[in-house]
Amino acid sequence: MLGARCVPAVMIDLYRLSIFFAICGVEPDVIFSILGSLISIVAVIASIYYNRKQLEKSNERHESLLEKQEDVLKANHEWNRRQLAITELISNRYHLNESIKKLNESINYREQKGVYSLEEIHLALCGQKDHENHPPLTEDGKEIKHHIFAILNHYEYFSVGIKNKIFSEKVIKDSIRGALIKANRVFREYIVHLRTPKHSNNKKLFIEIEELAEKWINEDKENLSSKESKKTA
Protein backbone atom coordinates (compact mmCIF):
# COMPACT_ATOMS: atom_id res chain seq x y z
CA MET A 1 0.00 0.00 0.00
CA LEU A 2 2.86 2.34 0.77
CA GLY A 3 4.37 1.70 -2.66
CA ALA A 4 1.02 2.27 -4.40
CA ARG A 5 0.58 5.59 -2.63
CA CYS A 6 3.95 6.77 -3.98
CA VAL A 7 3.02 6.18 -7.67
CA PRO A 8 2.66 9.58 -9.43
CA ALA A 9 -0.85 10.45 -10.51
CA VAL A 10 0.28 11.04 -14.10
CA MET A 11 1.55 7.49 -14.32
CA ILE A 12 -1.77 6.21 -13.03
CA ASP A 13 -3.60 8.27 -15.65
CA LEU A 14 -1.35 6.95 -18.39
CA TYR A 15 -1.89 3.42 -17.14
CA ARG A 16 -5.66 3.91 -17.20
CA LEU A 17 -5.43 5.33 -20.73
CA SER A 18 -3.32 2.40 -21.87
CA ILE A 19 -5.91 0.00 -20.47
CA PHE A 20 -8.74 2.00 -22.03
CA PHE A 21 -7.16 2.15 -25.48
CA ALA A 22 -6.11 -1.50 -25.20
CA ILE A 23 -9.78 -2.33 -24.61
CA CYS A 24 -10.66 -0.17 -27.63
CA GLY A 25 -8.20 -2.11 -29.76
CA VAL A 26 -5.61 0.68 -30.07
CA GLU A 27 -2.04 -0.04 -29.11
CA PRO A 28 -0.81 2.10 -26.19
CA ASP A 29 2.46 2.84 -28.03
CA VAL A 30 0.49 4.34 -30.89
CA ILE A 31 -1.49 6.50 -28.49
CA PHE A 32 1.64 7.69 -26.73
CA SER A 33 3.22 8.46 -30.10
CA ILE A 34 0.19 10.54 -31.15
CA LEU A 35 0.12 12.36 -27.85
CA GLY A 36 3.84 13.05 -28.11
CA SER A 37 3.37 14.45 -31.63
CA LEU A 38 0.52 16.66 -30.46
CA ILE A 39 2.59 17.95 -27.57
CA SER A 40 5.47 18.69 -29.97
CA ILE A 41 3.15 20.56 -32.35
CA VAL A 42 1.74 22.62 -29.49
CA ALA A 43 5.25 23.37 -28.30
CA VAL A 44 6.30 24.47 -31.79
CA ILE A 45 3.25 26.72 -32.15
CA ALA A 46 3.88 28.23 -28.72
CA SER A 47 7.52 28.79 -29.63
CA ILE A 48 6.56 30.49 -32.92
CA TYR A 49 4.04 32.72 -31.14
CA TYR A 50 6.56 33.64 -28.45
CA ASN A 51 9.29 34.43 -30.99
CA ARG A 52 6.86 36.54 -33.02
CA LYS A 53 5.94 38.57 -29.96
CA GLN A 54 9.59 39.05 -29.11
CA LEU A 55 10.29 40.16 -32.68
CA GLU A 56 7.43 42.66 -32.55
CA LYS A 57 8.77 44.08 -29.31
CA SER A 58 12.25 44.26 -30.80
CA ASN A 59 10.90 46.10 -33.87
CA GLU A 60 9.00 48.52 -31.66
CA ARG A 61 12.14 49.27 -29.64
CA HIS A 62 14.12 49.69 -32.85
CA GLU A 63 11.55 52.06 -34.34
CA SER A 64 11.42 54.04 -31.10
CA LEU A 65 15.21 54.32 -31.10
CA LEU A 66 15.20 55.48 -34.74
CA GLU A 67 12.55 58.10 -33.96
CA LYS A 68 14.60 59.42 -31.04
CA GLN A 69 17.73 59.56 -33.20
CA GLU A 70 15.80 61.38 -35.92
CA ASP A 71 14.52 63.92 -33.39
CA VAL A 72 18.07 64.51 -32.15
CA LEU A 73 19.36 64.98 -35.70
CA LYS A 74 16.56 67.44 -36.48
CA ALA A 75 17.26 69.39 -33.32
CA ASN A 76 20.98 69.51 -34.09
CA HIS A 77 20.30 70.58 -37.68
CA GLU A 78 17.97 73.37 -36.55
CA TRP A 79 20.53 74.51 -33.98
CA ASN A 80 23.23 74.60 -36.69
CA ARG A 81 20.94 76.61 -38.98
CA ARG A 82 20.32 79.16 -36.23
CA GLN A 83 24.00 79.45 -35.40
CA LEU A 84 24.98 79.83 -39.05
CA ALA A 85 22.35 82.51 -39.56
CA ILE A 86 23.61 84.47 -36.56
CA THR A 87 27.22 84.13 -37.67
CA GLU A 88 26.49 85.31 -41.21
CA LEU A 89 24.38 88.23 -40.03
CA ILE A 90 27.19 89.43 -37.81
CA SER A 91 29.98 88.89 -40.34
CA ASN A 92 28.13 90.76 -43.12
CA ARG A 93 26.83 93.59 -40.97
CA TYR A 94 29.84 95.90 -41.40
CA HIS A 95 29.77 95.92 -45.21
CA LEU A 96 25.98 96.32 -45.22
CA ASN A 97 26.16 99.30 -42.89
CA GLU A 98 28.84 100.89 -45.07
CA SER A 99 26.63 100.61 -48.14
CA ILE A 100 23.62 101.98 -46.26
CA LYS A 101 25.74 104.88 -45.04
CA LYS A 102 26.90 105.72 -48.59
CA LEU A 103 23.37 105.53 -49.99
CA ASN A 104 22.06 107.61 -47.13
CA GLU A 105 24.52 110.34 -48.10
CA SER A 106 23.73 110.16 -51.82
CA ILE A 107 20.02 109.27 -52.14
CA ASN A 108 18.79 109.61 -48.53
CA TYR A 109 18.22 105.84 -48.30
CA ARG A 110 17.58 105.68 -44.58
CA GLU A 111 14.67 108.11 -44.78
CA GLN A 112 13.20 106.71 -47.99
CA LYS A 113 9.71 105.27 -47.49
CA GLY A 114 8.27 104.86 -50.96
CA VAL A 115 9.64 103.50 -54.23
CA TYR A 116 12.53 105.23 -55.96
CA SER A 117 11.36 106.18 -59.44
CA LEU A 118 13.57 105.35 -62.41
CA GLU A 119 14.13 109.08 -62.92
CA GLU A 120 15.44 109.42 -59.37
CA ILE A 121 17.76 106.43 -59.75
CA HIS A 122 19.13 107.56 -63.12
CA LEU A 123 19.62 111.08 -61.89
CA ALA A 124 21.75 109.67 -59.06
CA LEU A 125 23.66 107.27 -61.35
CA CYS A 126 24.01 109.27 -64.55
CA GLY A 127 23.41 112.88 -63.55
CA GLN A 128 20.25 113.03 -65.70
CA LYS A 129 16.75 111.56 -65.61
CA ASP A 130 16.88 110.02 -69.09
CA HIS A 131 16.78 106.24 -68.72
CA GLU A 132 15.74 105.40 -72.28
CA ASN A 133 19.01 106.26 -74.01
CA HIS A 134 21.23 104.71 -71.30
CA PRO A 135 23.60 107.60 -70.61
CA PRO A 136 26.94 106.60 -69.05
CA LEU A 137 27.37 106.40 -65.30
CA THR A 138 29.20 109.17 -63.51
CA GLU A 139 32.00 108.29 -61.12
CA ASP A 140 29.70 108.92 -58.18
CA GLY A 141 27.00 106.97 -60.00
CA LYS A 142 29.25 103.90 -60.27
CA GLU A 143 29.78 103.96 -56.51
CA ILE A 144 26.06 104.42 -55.83
CA LYS A 145 25.20 101.50 -58.12
CA HIS A 146 27.82 99.38 -56.38
CA HIS A 147 26.22 100.03 -53.01
CA ILE A 148 22.68 99.43 -54.32
CA PHE A 149 23.78 96.04 -55.62
CA ALA A 150 25.67 95.33 -52.39
CA ILE A 151 22.46 95.81 -50.37
CA LEU A 152 20.32 93.77 -52.76
CA ASN A 153 22.91 90.98 -52.99
CA HIS A 154 23.12 90.92 -49.20
CA TYR A 155 19.38 90.23 -48.83
CA GLU A 156 19.31 87.91 -51.84
CA TYR A 157 22.02 85.83 -50.16
CA PHE A 158 19.91 85.31 -47.04
CA SER A 159 16.74 84.76 -49.07
CA VAL A 160 18.39 81.96 -51.05
CA GLY A 161 19.76 80.46 -47.83
CA ILE A 162 16.29 80.40 -46.28
CA LYS A 163 14.74 78.87 -49.40
CA ASN A 164 17.31 76.06 -49.37
CA LYS A 165 16.97 75.57 -45.59
CA ILE A 166 20.56 76.59 -44.91
CA PHE A 167 19.61 79.41 -42.54
CA SER A 168 16.96 79.53 -39.85
CA GLU A 169 14.12 81.62 -41.27
CA LYS A 170 12.98 82.65 -37.79
CA VAL A 171 16.39 84.08 -36.88
CA ILE A 172 16.69 85.93 -40.18
CA LYS A 173 13.14 87.25 -40.03
CA ASP A 174 13.52 88.45 -36.45
CA SER A 175 16.76 90.23 -37.40
CA ILE A 176 16.23 91.83 -40.82
CA ARG A 177 12.55 91.52 -41.70
CA GLY A 178 11.89 95.26 -41.98
CA ALA A 179 15.19 96.03 -43.72
CA LEU A 180 14.70 93.31 -46.35
CA ILE A 181 11.12 94.36 -47.08
CA LYS A 182 12.23 97.99 -47.38
CA ALA A 183 15.04 97.18 -49.82
CA ASN A 184 12.63 95.19 -51.98
CA ARG A 185 10.10 98.03 -51.87
CA VAL A 186 12.27 101.11 -52.51
CA PHE A 187 14.25 99.52 -55.36
CA ARG A 188 11.26 97.73 -56.93
CA GLU A 189 11.10 99.85 -60.11
CA TYR A 190 14.85 99.71 -60.55
CA ILE A 191 14.91 95.91 -60.15
CA VAL A 192 12.16 95.50 -62.74
CA HIS A 193 14.12 97.84 -65.04
CA LEU A 194 17.27 95.75 -64.58
CA ARG A 195 15.41 92.60 -65.65
CA THR A 196 14.62 94.00 -69.11
CA PRO A 197 16.49 92.84 -72.25
CA LYS A 198 18.34 96.19 -72.39
CA HIS A 199 20.07 95.28 -69.13
CA SER A 200 20.44 91.79 -67.67
CA ASN A 201 17.53 90.18 -69.55
CA ASN A 202 17.14 88.08 -66.42
CA LYS A 203 13.57 87.81 -65.17
CA LYS A 204 14.81 86.05 -62.02
CA LEU A 205 17.15 88.86 -60.96
CA PHE A 206 16.69 89.39 -57.19
CA ILE A 207 13.57 87.23 -57.36
CA GLU A 208 14.29 85.56 -54.01
CA ILE A 209 14.12 88.89 -52.17
CA GLU A 210 10.83 89.67 -53.84
CA GLU A 211 9.26 86.32 -52.99
CA LEU A 212 10.48 86.30 -49.39
CA ALA A 213 9.33 89.88 -48.79
CA GLU A 214 5.87 89.07 -50.14
CA LYS A 215 5.74 85.91 -48.02
CA TRP A 216 6.56 87.81 -44.82
CA ILE A 217 4.11 90.61 -45.62
CA ASN A 218 1.32 88.08 -46.19
CA GLU A 219 2.22 86.26 -42.95
CA ASP A 220 2.03 89.55 -41.04
CA LYS A 221 -1.40 90.27 -42.54
CA GLU A 222 -2.67 86.80 -41.59
CA ASN A 223 -1.33 87.14 -38.03
CA LEU A 224 -2.93 90.56 -37.65
CA SER A 225 -6.24 89.26 -39.00
CA SER A 226 -6.10 86.29 -36.62
CA LYS A 227 -5.47 88.57 -33.61
CA GLU A 228 -8.36 90.85 -34.57
CA SER A 229 -10.66 87.85 -34.96
CA LYS A 230 -9.76 86.62 -31.46
CA LYS A 231 -10.45 90.07 -29.98
CA THR A 232 -13.92 90.23 -31.53
CA ALA A 233 -14.75 86.63 -30.60
Side-chain angles (χ1 to χ4, degrees):
M1 293 298 293
L2 182 61
R5 290 178 183 176
C6 295
V7 175
V10 65
M11 295 301 296
I12 296 173
D13 291 338
L14 289 174
Y15 175 75
R16 288 173 178 172
L17 283 173
S18 66
I19 295 173
F20 171 77
F21 285 112
I23 296 172
C24 295
V26 181
E27 293 294 331
D29 291 344
V30 174
I31 298 303
F32 288 141
S33 177
I34 293 172
L35 290 174
S37 298
L38 289 174
I39 293 171
S40 298
I41 292 171
V42 171
V44 169
I45 293 173
S47 176
I48 292 173
Y49 178 79
Y50 174 79
N51 289 334
R52 180 179 177 182
K53 287 296 182 181
Q54 291 298 109
L55 182 60
E56 289 176 355
K57 290 181 180 179
S58 176
N59 289 336
E60 289 175 359
R61 288 195 296 268
H62 183 64
E63 289 175 0
S64 176
L65 180 61
L66 288 177
E67 289 176 358
K68 289 180 180 179
Q69 290 176 342
E70 185 177 355
D71 291 340
V72 171
L73 288 174
K74 286 181 179 179
N76 288 339
H77 179 58
E78 181 59 28
W79 186 87
N80 289 332
R81 290 170 61 207
R82 291 197 300 268
Q83 289 301 114
L84 182 58
I86 293 170
T87 301
E88 289 299 296
L89 285 167
I90 293 173
S91 64
N92 288 280
R93 184 171 55 187
Y94 173 77
H95 297 292
L96 175 67
N97 289 339
E98 282 295 303
S99 292
I100 291 175
K101 179 181 177 182
K102 294 295 182 181
L103 292 186
N104 190 48
E105 294 171 356
S106 57
I107 58 175
N108 198 27
Y109 177 75
R110 199 179 299 276
E111 301 300 323
Q112 183 71 19
K113 303 298 182 184
V115 181
Y116 285 115
S117 66
L118 287 180
E119 287 76 14
E120 289 176 305
I121 293 293
H122 277 270
L123 181 61
L125 300 183
C126 309
Q128 52 184 293
K129 295 182 178 181
D130 182 15
H131 59 84
E132 296 294 336
N133 296 319
H134 302 287
L137 301 177
T138 64
E139 290 302 316
D140 288 340
K142 291 177 182 178
E143 184 179 10
I144 292 171
K145 184 177 181 180
H146 165 77
H147 290 299
I148 290 175
F149 271 74
I151 290 174
L152 293 175
N153 282 324
H154 174 82
Y155 296 125
E156 183 79 354
Y157 171 69
F158 285 107
S159 300
V160 172
I162 289 172
K163 181 179 181 179
N164 291 280
K165 302 186 183 302
I166 297 172
F167 300 132
S168 165
E169 182 173 352
K170 185 179 186 307
V171 171
I172 300 297
K173 184 178 182 180
D174 290 346
S175 302
I176 61 172
R177 172 197 162 278
L180 184 145
I181 291 174
K182 176 180 178 177
N184 176 70
R185 180 179 68 250
V186 301
F187 293 122
R188 175 62 14 215
E189 283 193 18
Y190 185 49
I191 292 172
V192 172
H193 180 66
L194 291 172
R195 291 173 180 171
T196 61
K198 293 181 179 180
H199 290 276
S200 67
N201 194 28
N202 179 7
K203 294 181 180 180
K204 297 293 185 179
L205 184 67
F206 299 123
I207 192 66
E208 302 301 337
I209 302 175
E210 180 180 347
E211 291 180 353
L212 185 60
E214 290 177 355
K215 176 177 180 286
W216 286 351
I217 290 172
N218 290 332
E219 286 177 352
D220 292 342
K221 289 179 179 178
E222 290 175 2
N223 291 335
L224 181 60
S225 176
S226 177
K227 288 180 181 179
E228 290 177 349
S229 298
K230 289 180 180 180
K231 287 180 180 180
T232 56

